[in-house]
Amino acid sequence: MYVCGPTVYDLAHIGNARPVVVFDVLYRVLRHIFGIRSVTYVRNITDVDDKINQRALEDYPNVPLNEAINLITTKTEAQFHQDISALEVLDPTFEPRATGHIPEMRDFINNLISRGNAYVAEDHVLFDVSSMSDYGSLSYRTLNDMEAGVRIEVAPYKKNPMDFVLWKPSKKDEPSWVSPGNIKAKGRPGWHIECSAMSERYLGKCLIFTVVALI
C-alpha cells in the first residue's frame, strides 16, 4: 500500500490529517485480514517542490537557499510526525524522502523516454499522454473529456496541452541533479514522477494493491 505523504513546507491542517487517519484504518484492516507481515505500507515525504523553495526564501532570506530548504523541511517534517503521533496512527513500514531517490526517478524517466511515453523539450521532460490509448481509464475519463489549461497557461513546448512535467530545469541556487534524457542542464523532478519511482522501489513493478492519496 502506497500513500503519498506531505509536502513539508508548512504545518499540517485538519484536511491533511484526514488521509492519514483514513489510510491508517485501511492499513489496520489489511493487517487484520492478511496478517501483519503480509502488508507493506509506504508513505513518502516530498522534500523538493516549488512551494518549499518559496517558503525557504520567505522565512530565511539571508540564508543560502539549500540550507534554508533543509531548515524548512526538517522542521516541518518533525512537526508533521508530532501531529500524527497525537492521532495514534501506526507508523508506515517505509517513509522515504523524495530527495533520497533521485537516481530511481531518473532511471524511471529514462525508461519512459526509451519506450516513447515521454519526450524532452527545452530542458524539460514531459509525459506524452497521447502515447497511452487508455489514458484516463482509471478515472473513467477520456482525453476529450478533460479540459486543458483551465488553471494555468499551457506551455508552448508541450506536444499536447495535457502533457505533464516529469523533470524540470532548476533555477539558480535551487536544488539540482544530473538530468535524464541527455539534458545538459541540471534539474529536479516534477512531483508527478516521485511517487511512481518510490512505489516501484519499495513495492516492486507488479503491484497487487496500491493506494495513492495526495495530501
Side-chain angles (χ1 to χ4, degrees):
M1 182 174 81
Y2 187 97
V3 178
C4 190
T7 300
V8 283
Y9 72 98
D10 202 353
L11 300 180
H13 52 69
I14 192 67
N16 301 137
R18 180 182 181 277
V20 172
V21 173
V22 167
F23 290 106
D24 178 71
V25 172
L26 177 58
Y27 183 37
R28 292 172 189 267
V29 170
L30 293 174
R31 283 161 48 113
H32 176 73
I33 295 174
F34 299 106
I36 293 176
R37 296 185 179 181
S38 298
V39 186
T40 300
Y41 174 18
V42 185
R43 184 185 65 221
N44 78 293
I45 298 290
T46 297
D47 59 344
V48 53
D49 184 79
D50 290 337
K51 293 180 180 179
I52 295 174
N53 295 345
Q54 184 60 38
R55 181 54 60 86
L57 290 170
E58 292 172 358
D59 289 7
Y60 302 99
N62 299 318
V63 176
L65 183 56
N66 281 321
E67 184 179 341
I69 287 172
N70 184 60
L71 291 171
I72 288 290
T73 57
T74 300
K75 178 181 69 174
T76 309
E77 181 180 346
Q79 185 63 54
F80 171 76
H81 286 142
Q82 181 179 331
D83 290 342
I84 64 172
S85 177
L87 298 174
E88 299 186 358
V89 297
L90 298 175
D91 292 331
T93 314
F94 301 103
E95 192 175 49
R97 266 184 165 231
T99 54
H101 296 78
I102 299 297
E104 289 96 327
M105 296 174 199
R106 193 162 47 233
D107 290 344
F108 203 106
I109 293 171
N110 279 328
N111 187 38
L112 289 173
I113 294 173
S114 66
R115 291 169 51 183
N117 296 120
Y119 60 93
V120 176
E122 296 187 18
D123 291 336
H124 292 72
V125 181
L126 298 104
F127 185 83
D128 184 358
V129 297
S130 66
S131 67
M132 290 185 64
S133 59
D134 61 347
Y135 184 84
S137 60
L138 289 177
S139 59
Y140 299 99
R141 301 175 69 196
T142 67
L143 282 175
N144 291 332
D145 295 330
M146 303 178 190
E147 295 183 11
V150 172
R151 292 181 297 174
I152 58 174
E153 183 179 351
V154 177
Y157 50 78
K158 289 186 176 184
K159 292 182 179 179
N160 185 305
M162 293 297 299
D163 294 348
F164 53 86
V165 173
L166 303 176
W167 189 270
K168 63 179 70 176
S170 294
K171 298 177 183 177
K172 183 180 179 181
D173 297 329
E174 287 183 343
S176 63
W177 294 268
V178 174
S179 298
N182 295 318
I183 297 173
K184 293 182 179 180
K186 288 189 175 182
R188 54 194 174 95
W191 62 266
H192 298 85
I193 197 65
E194 296 175 2
C195 289
S196 299
M198 287 185 284
S199 64
E200 181 177 283
R201 165 66 177 79
Y202 290 95
L203 300 177
K205 293 185 178 181
C206 298
L207 308 183
I208 296 175
F209 191 50
T210 302
V211 176
V212 176
L214 297 178
I215 296 182

